[in-house]
Amino acid sequence: MKLSVATNFDNALLERVAGLPVTEVYGKLPRDFVGGGRAGYSSGTVDGAGLEAHVRLAHRHGIKFNYLLNSVCMGNREWTRQGLHEIRRLLDFVSALGVDAVTVSTPYIAELVRRHYPKLAVKIGIFANIDTPTRARFWEDLGAETLVLESFSINRRLSQLSAIRAAVSCRLQLIANFSCLPNCPMQIYHM
């Protein structure tokens, strides 16, 4: 088993998980142009320099860093010239820090990363709601290397998981510790 663990940017966390089957930590700045699925307060008070130091320390421990760009709505700002400039500026920044992967939830950002940042691995986040072989193939065809499956409803549906596994060759990831009940009617609100 390989684990992907959320970071709070406390460097002691990296010391504690070193040597465990943790292959990556993930996180983001409290605020950036794209946004994401984690509330800003959960990232602590990290700034760009703190992010850079954390990425370097993770790498020293053999742990990859995955930067979250998994917002599902940017208010259509991504379609403007200024929006594209801001997204590219953020991607330039995280790429220069040596971030290993980005998690995205929109096709536009997935394509942008694939086209302009070939060294960044592309993970598709849970907010893309990948729960069928068709959805999984769509994202793999866009160049995704890992798909985080919509764990709320299919983690226990082994036939559906098997069908998705048979449909794609990229890596699949499940979230094992989500706080919602299976098929929670408030799932979208909880995100």
Side-chain angles (χ1 to χ4, degrees):
M1 176 183 345
K2 297 176 183 176
L3 299 174
S4 175
V5 175
T7 185
N8 59 3
F9 294 98
D10 178 353
N11 289 333
L13 172 69
L14 297 174
E15 305 287 340
R16 287 187 200 112
V17 300
L20 297 175
V22 174
T23 59
E24 76 169 10
V25 293
Y26 62 89
K28 66 184 296 54
L29 293 170
R31 288 172 189 31
D32 63 31
F33 184 80
V34 173
R38 298 185 83 198
Y41 66 81
S42 70
S43 295
T45 58
V46 71
D47 59 10
L51 172 62
E52 180 177 18
H54 202 68
V55 170
R56 274 191 275 122
L57 184 58
H59 288 162
R60 278 201 296 273
H61 287 292
I63 300 169
K64 293 182 179 183
F65 192 93
N66 174 8
Y67 192 87
L68 301 177
L69 296 169
N70 58 337
S71 172
V72 294
C73 180
M74 289 182 275
N76 288 324
R77 295 175 302 156
E78 70 273 25
W79 303 113
T80 67
R81 181 172 290 148
Q82 180 64 30
L84 175 59
H85 173 74
E86 292 295 331
I87 294 168
R88 291 292 306 271
R89 193 170 82 160
L90 178 58
L91 286 166
D92 288 345
F93 171 70
V94 298
S95 181
L97 294 183
V99 165
D100 303 286
V102 292
T103 293
V104 304
S105 293
T106 61
Y108 177 73
I109 298 207
E111 290 175 322
L112 190 65
V113 173
R114 285 278 41 98
R115 185 176 302 123
H116 298 287
Y117 303 89
K119 291 183 180 178
L120 287 174
V122 174
K123 295 182 82 169
I124 307 304
I126 191 168
F127 302 137
N129 291 316
I130 301 169
D131 61 354
T132 66
T134 301
R135 287 181 177 176
R137 279 190 300 270
F138 170 83
W139 288 104
E140 184 179 55
D141 289 346
L142 283 182
E145 291 148 318
T146 302
L147 308 176
V148 180
L149 300 181
E150 194 287 309
S151 305
F152 298 106
S153 63
I154 67 168
N155 266 13
R156 294 172 179 88
R157 292 177 53 204
L158 298 182
S159 62
Q160 190 71 359
L161 292 171
S162 294
I164 293 170
R165 174 70 285 159
V168 295
S169 59
C170 62
R171 287 183 294 278
L172 301 177
Q173 183 174 331
L174 295 175
I175 295 179
N177 63 342
F178 55 87
S179 59
C180 281
L181 298 171
N183 299 301
C184 175
M186 300 298 285
Q187 169 188 336
I188 299 299
Y189 178 71
H190 291 156
M191 291 184 205

